[in-house]
Amino acid sequence: MNSFTRRFARTARVARTMLATTQSLSHTPPRSVYTRAPTAHSIHRTYASDAGFTNPSALARQAHDAMSLGTSALTQGNAQQAQTHLEHALQLHPTSDAHYNMGICQYMLKNIDCAIEHWKKSVQMDPKGADAYVSLGNAYFLSKKESGTAIDYMQKAIELAPNDPEIQFNLACMHESQGSLDQAIELYTQAASNGLDRAQPYLRNAMAKRIKQQI
């Protein structure tokens, strides 16, 4: 979970835990769904680092430096400073990762529509990047209140990373919020089987709900 790979800190798909701070789905304790909530005080962020910067040109190197400065600012919670550096990186050499990080930045600044626009550009440039789909799914679920669109994006993420327990967990929460308990239970089960311990109480709650409905 904490490996520094393509995403600067895979401790965070930005909006991965958006549901954590807002969702109340009649669970006790209160829903703290994703451990990665996109708020300045609670997010474990996944920022893109240097992926996409394969061009050895001076321009690309400048963009890489700007991207690094923006990423550093994000890790420090300084979204305004990050925005300046990421805007520069995007002007010099736009990449999927730069758009992804700018989406994080804009979400932190409460510019939800702008964040969504950058995440969409990120997936356009890198359709196989699951993190941006996760962020889009959570943004549509929490901020736009468009559950159908949110589930579609999260489903795309899980197709790209079928064994990722946090994506399974997030999608389970969305299905449960819509009353689709069978789908939720299946996904909670998969998440728990893949090592996500916190899925266990949610699985039990969802199963209890289903039994109650059948009585």
Side-chain angles (χ1 to χ4, degrees):
M1 183 179 297
N2 293 319
S3 62
F4 286 80
T5 55
R6 177 175 181 275
R7 297 297 180 194
F8 169 60
R10 196 164 278 280
T11 56
R13 294 169 172 95
V14 148
R16 243 199 197 204
T17 49
M18 289 186 184
L19 293 177
T21 54
T22 60
Q23 197 173 359
S24 56
L25 297 176
S26 69
H27 278 269
T28 305
R31 204 83 176 165
S32 60
V33 179
Y34 318 124
T35 54
R36 303 173 186 173
T39 59
H41 63 280
S42 64
I43 185 173
H44 301 280
R45 302 178 187 84
T46 289
Y47 306 124
S49 54
D50 58 359
F53 291 100
T54 57
N55 187 336
S57 71
L59 195 65
R61 287 196 297 271
Q62 291 175 33
H64 178 272
D65 291 343
M67 175 77 161
S68 296
L69 289 170
T71 299
S72 178
L74 281 176
T75 63
Q76 297 168 22
N78 191 335
Q80 291 286 359
Q81 186 179 59
Q83 179 175 239
T84 299
H85 293 304
L86 292 171
E87 284 176 346
H88 188 46
L90 285 167
Q91 289 170 358
L92 292 170
H93 183 61
T95 65
S96 171
D97 288 339
H99 279 296
Y100 178 82
N101 282 7
M102 182 61 89
I104 294 173
C105 179
Q106 294 303 320
Y107 195 91
M108 291 171 66
L109 293 170
K110 312 299 183 185
N111 299 325
I112 307 304
D113 288 339
C114 188
I116 288 173
E117 179 182 350
H118 280 287
W119 286 326
K120 286 182 176 180
K121 288 180 180 178
S122 179
V123 298
Q124 286 172 0
M125 297 181 77
D126 180 14
K128 295 184 179 180
D131 286 339
Y133 286 107
V134 172
S135 295
L136 283 165
N138 284 309
Y140 272 98
F141 190 85
L142 291 174
S143 299
K144 306 296 283 185
K145 309 301 180 185
E146 297 180 21
S147 299
T149 301
I151 288 173
D152 287 344
Y153 278 120
M154 199 64 70
Q155 185 62 47
K156 180 62 176 177
I158 210 168
E159 290 170 3
L160 292 167
N163 296 317
D164 188 315
E166 292 191 1
I167 299 178
Q168 292 165 342
F169 184 60
N170 286 9
L171 184 55
C173 293
M174 291 181 179
H175 278 303
E176 185 181 355
S177 74
Q178 301 304 299
S180 302
L181 293 179
D182 289 341
Q183 292 95 320
I185 288 169
E186 180 180 356
L187 287 161
Y188 283 138
T189 300
Q190 292 173 9
S193 297
N194 285 325
L196 194 66
D197 292 339
R198 72 178 182 280
Q200 292 285 359
Y202 295 100
L203 172 59
R204 291 193 293 270
N205 280 327
M207 293 178 71
K209 275 186 177 181
R210 186 170 64 179
I211 291 171
K212 185 176 180 180
Q213 288 180 356
Q214 294 172 346
I215 295 175

